[in-house]
Amino acid sequence: MKRVRELGGRLAPIVAITGPYRPMFYASMAVGMAAQLLQIATAGLGAWLVGAAISGTALSSLTPWLFALVIVAMLGQACSVTESWMVHAVSWRSLHDLRLTLHDRFDELGPGYLLERRSGDIARVVLADVNEIENYTSHVLPPLLTAVVVPIGATAAIAVIQPVLAVVLLPFLVAVATVPFWLGRHAEEQGRRARTTAGALGAVVIDAVQGLREIVAFTARDRALRDIARAQDATVAANLDHARRLAAERTVTGALLSTGMLATLAVGALLVTRGALDPARFPAAVVIAGAAFAPLVALTFVGGELQRIAACADRVWTILRATPPVRFTAAPEHPRPQPVVAFDNVTFAYPSSDRSVLDGISFTVRPGETVALVGRSGAGKSTCAHLLQRFWDPAHGSISIGGIPLAAFPEQQLRRLVSSVPQDVYLFNTSIAANIAIGKPDATRDEIRVAARLANAEAFIDALPDGFDTIAGERAATLSGGQRQRLAIARALLRDTPIVVFDEAVSNLDTESEAAIRRGLAAVAAGRTTIVIAHRLSTIRRADRIVMLDAGRVVDTGTYDELISGDGPFARLVQPTLQHESDVIP
Ligand code: ADP
């Protein structure tokens, strides 16, 4: 019983998502019940008519009942169709709203929340898990309610015909209804195993497809096949367990149902011979008894779904109830803040760990200045960029723009102040033009072209099969890392924020891309306050100032000439690069 209550508690919020459609949802349930009861009435009335005809009742006196039968049957069908339509309308509309709510939530939770999770997991929640909820409201909940109401109604009808028959039938009905719970604990465990093994299989298969190049190059085919086979074995074992339990459940249900029907028939026959049951009513009683079992048998089919759906619902609620890493103010915007960025004694640890990755960082970037953030991998450069976009808030210290703390800016204003050019730019599955104009959807084609030209992207875009109208998801898949970053530069140029964070591409670029990106960066930096996460000496030299980080602290600050002439951490960092006449610093 405790398990049933717990399951009910996990599933109850699903009804809450029907929100504004709740009255229609309840109405659909009522219509569904009516449909079931009318179907029982049809069967009962039909059987009674047959019984009456066999017992020799004159046909003329049965005619009105025949008409009644037709009307009841038609009403039953009408209710059934209406219920099906209503329940689907409610489900799909609620899901439509739920998906929008989830996206709203993602917006609120921000990249900070998403960065710490696998995007595949989140996408599965929005697509698969939300669909499971449709399955629940349309195909699981109605049979559940029917399984409660119909047997009660049917038993009541039989009790009216002959109470003893109802007493005989009842224990069998109760037994069939509880079968799914007898093995409930097993079902839960098996469901969990089936899910984990399916997840593991998915991960292995995705690895084998995405890593095909490496698998071929390193002749790791046998290992990949072995991994897939092992994951498959686990899935097969888990599913066979599940199938065995299901078979056992159905056998027990079938046996109980047959015995229940036989008992009803035997006791009914006995009652007829004793004169305690009108023979004309006997067929009706038997038909109604059969109808009472039907929804309970259907329950064994949907019962197993409940655990799975509860797990899906849990994942959806986890997102809906998550606390956003930052909350933006609803205060009015600040008039024209100066584009001065100041980190003041900033300390920060990612929510997933206790370790401080920034430890008392202070530096300032003046209006129009370009500062190169330099340091070994893991020093905390990207974290500074994330914090400037307020994906998270610092634990101590503050970050301000024009002397105003970031937390005092409404979100839209902050987004209009700071934009970023990431290394691994995401291209949406729309045209290249729309991808560039993502931050300014009303941009004209000329504006987009000018931005692309300044970003040194115009020539290669024109060379694509459909130029600016090429769909990025399809043919632009062949774009190189350097070309993609130039699209990101064009995006930032069009967005035209006074402050830009530029994460320089670290991958091996061809000389042409490198030069093109450098010119793009110069176009971005012109007249803007720019922070470049710099990996190349050529970029660092061009910056107005250098801030070097190491293990979350600022260890060196100054112009290139100042720092290189000394013996500080920066000079030591770049010495090997200078000696090898290379450009990329370690
Ligand atoms: P850099 O950009 O200088 O290479 P980062 O700012 O990316 O350095 O990382 C600084 C430290 O923070 C590293 O130790 C890294 O492992 C850790 N880190 C980065 N992102 C996360 C995250 N989302 N969750 C937990 N730790 C992170």
Side-chain angles (χ1 to χ4, degrees):
M1 207 57 209
K2 190 169 140 260
R3 267 209 321 279
V4 177
R5 249 203 321 272
E6 187 223 46
L7 188 63
R10 286 164 73 194
L11 292 170
I14 297 186
V15 179
I17 67 149
T18 51
Y21 316 109
R22 195 103 35 96
M24 189 165 169
F25 181 65
Y26 291 138
S28 74
M29 293 291 143
V31 176
M33 298 300 155
Q36 293 293 332
L37 294 175
L38 285 167
Q39 272 163 23
I40 294 181
T42 310
L45 194 55
W48 174 74
L49 278 169
V50 172
I54 291 172
S55 329
T57 314
L59 204 60
S60 57
S61 65
L62 292 180
T63 314
W65 289 107
L66 270 174
F67 279 114
L69 176 65
V70 172
I71 291 172
V72 171
M74 279 169 51
L75 266 179
Q77 283 308 316
C79 284
S80 170
V81 170
T82 313
E83 185 247 6
S84 174
W85 175 79
M86 284 169 93
V87 95
H88 279 93
V90 170
S91 297
W92 288 113
R93 285 181 193 153
S94 319
L95 290 205
H96 164 268
D97 290 4
L98 178 61
R99 286 217 171 88
L100 291 184
T101 313
L102 273 171
H103 278 287
D104 253 11
R105 224 28 225 142
F106 290 148
D107 245 23
E108 229 180 297
L109 290 171
Y113 180 84
L114 300 182
L115 270 176
E116 302 217 333
R117 281 153 190 88
R118 287 179 17 185
S119 51
D121 290 348
I122 303 268
R124 208 173 53 217
V125 172
V126 180
L127 294 171
D129 290 345
V130 168
N131 268 351
E132 280 301 333
I133 293 178
E134 186 277 330
N135 189 14
Y136 178 72
T137 42
S138 299
H139 306 287
V140 176
L141 205 51
L144 262 179
L145 290 186
T146 311
V148 174
V149 172
V150 169
I152 294 177
T155 312
I158 292 175
V160 171
I161 296 173
Q162 167 49 267
V164 177
L165 278 184
V167 174
V168 172
L169 186 65
L170 204 57
F172 289 99
L173 288 176
V174 173
V176 171
T178 51
V179 167
F181 297 105
W182 295 358
L183 302 169
R185 196 176 295 283
H186 279 296
E188 211 168 309
E189 180 51 37
Q190 284 169 351
R192 218 189 331 268
R193 260 186 56 212
R195 263 197 315 280
T196 2
T197 51
L201 177 63
V204 176
V205 170
I206 288 173
D207 251 5
V209 174
Q210 290 185 340
L212 192 62
R213 208 174 44 190
E214 282 70 15
I215 289 174
V216 170
F218 294 95
T219 51
R221 193 168 150 269
D222 288 349
R223 219 208 68 204
L225 271 180
R226 219 172 30 242
D227 287 350
I228 292 181
R230 201 175 305 137
Q232 286 264 39
D233 288 346
T235 329
V236 170
N239 282 313
L240 280 182
D241 271 357
H242 178 76
R244 259 195 297 274
R245 182 188 49 81
L246 217 59
E249 238 175 60
R250 292 195 181 151
T251 311
V252 174
T253 308
L256 284 170
L257 176 124
S258 314
T259 325
M261 287 306 290
L262 272 176
T264 313
L265 272 172
V267 174
L270 198 69
L271 290 170
V272 170
T273 54
R274 296 263 170 92
L277 173 61
D278 178 355
R281 292 182 169 194
F282 185 29
V286 173
V287 167
I288 297 176
F293 278 111
L296 292 176
V297 174
L299 197 61
T300 26
F301 287 87
V302 298
E305 301 274 284
L306 288 179
Q307 293 292 346
R308 206 161 50 84
I309 293 172
C312 294
D314 287 348
R315 288 192 285 271
V316 172
W317 308 137
T318 307
I319 293 179
L320 288 180
R321 292 185 190 137
T323 337
V326 292
R327 284 198 191 278
F328 283 91
T329 171
E333 301 199 349
H334 294 272
R336 299 183 173 279
Q338 280 282 307
V340 184
V341 173
F343 277 63
D344 183 15
N345 203 16
V346 170
T347 298
F348 174 73
Y350 281 98
S352 55
S353 90
D354 303 331
R355 189 174 58 92
S356 284
V357 295
L358 298 185
D359 189 6
I361 291 226
S362 299
F363 67 89
T364 306
V365 191
R366 295 185 280 270
E369 192 182 30
T370 298
V371 161
L373 273 189
V374 180
R376 290 195 168 77
S377 172
K381 307 179 292 291
S382 310
T383 306
C384 289
H386 290 155
L387 293 187
L388 180 57
Q389 294 169 82
R390 214 175 160 221
F391 293 170
W392 295 275
D393 281 333
H396 302 287
S398 84
I399 304 171
S400 61
I401 294 177
I404 301 157
L406 289 192
F409 288 105
E411 181 173 16
Q412 291 312 316
Q413 185 175 23
L414 182 63
R415 303 289 171 238
R416 272 186 277 111
L417 284 169
V418 184
S419 63
S420 77
V421 179
Q423 280 192 48
D424 52 344
V425 50
Y426 186 80
L427 295 179
F428 291 91
N429 191 23
T430 63
S431 68
I432 295 282
N435 262 293
I436 293 176
I438 190 95
K440 192 181 179 191
D442 56 350
T444 63
R445 185 51 69 91
D446 277 347
E447 286 176 298
I448 295 174
R449 201 167 256 288
V450 169
R453 191 175 308 145
L454 284 171
N456 286 292
E458 191 184 23
F460 82 78
I461 297 173
D462 278 335
L464 290 172
D466 297 322
F468 279 80
D469 294 315
T470 308
I471 300 297
E474 295 164 11
R475 280 165 286 186
T478 50
L479 292 181
S480 71
Q483 289 173 330
R484 295 165 80 91
Q485 190 165 45
R486 278 182 270 164
L487 290 182
I489 295 173
R491 247 181 208 174
L493 284 167
L494 201 58
R495 177 78 176 165
D496 196 19
T497 58
I499 301 164
V500 178
V501 184
F502 194 110
D503 193 354
E504 186 179 33
V506 73
S507 58
N508 288 328
L509 299 174
D510 54 89
T511 339
E512 185 226 310
S513 271
E514 218 184 289
I517 289 182
R518 198 174 309 130
R519 287 200 301 275
L521 169 58
V524 168
R528 293 187 181 84
T529 305
T530 312
I531 296 178
V532 196
I533 299 177
H535 307 288
R536 291 168 194 279
L537 218 45
S538 45
T539 311
I540 296 169
R541 280 202 186 103
R542 283 184 177 79
D544 297 314
R545 233 155 25 94
I546 294 161
V547 172
M548 179 171 162
L549 302 184
D550 189 37
R553 292 167 191 269
V554 175
V555 290
D556 228 349
T557 332
T559 63
Y560 181 80
D561 291 337
E562 280 165 17
L563 295 187
I564 204 69
S565 57
D567 183 27
F570 177 77
R572 288 200 298 276
L573 176 77
V574 300
Q575 226 31 268
T577 313
L578 287 170
Q579 269 164 18
H580 292 103
E581 294 182 12
S582 141
D583 191 26
V584 180
I585 58 169

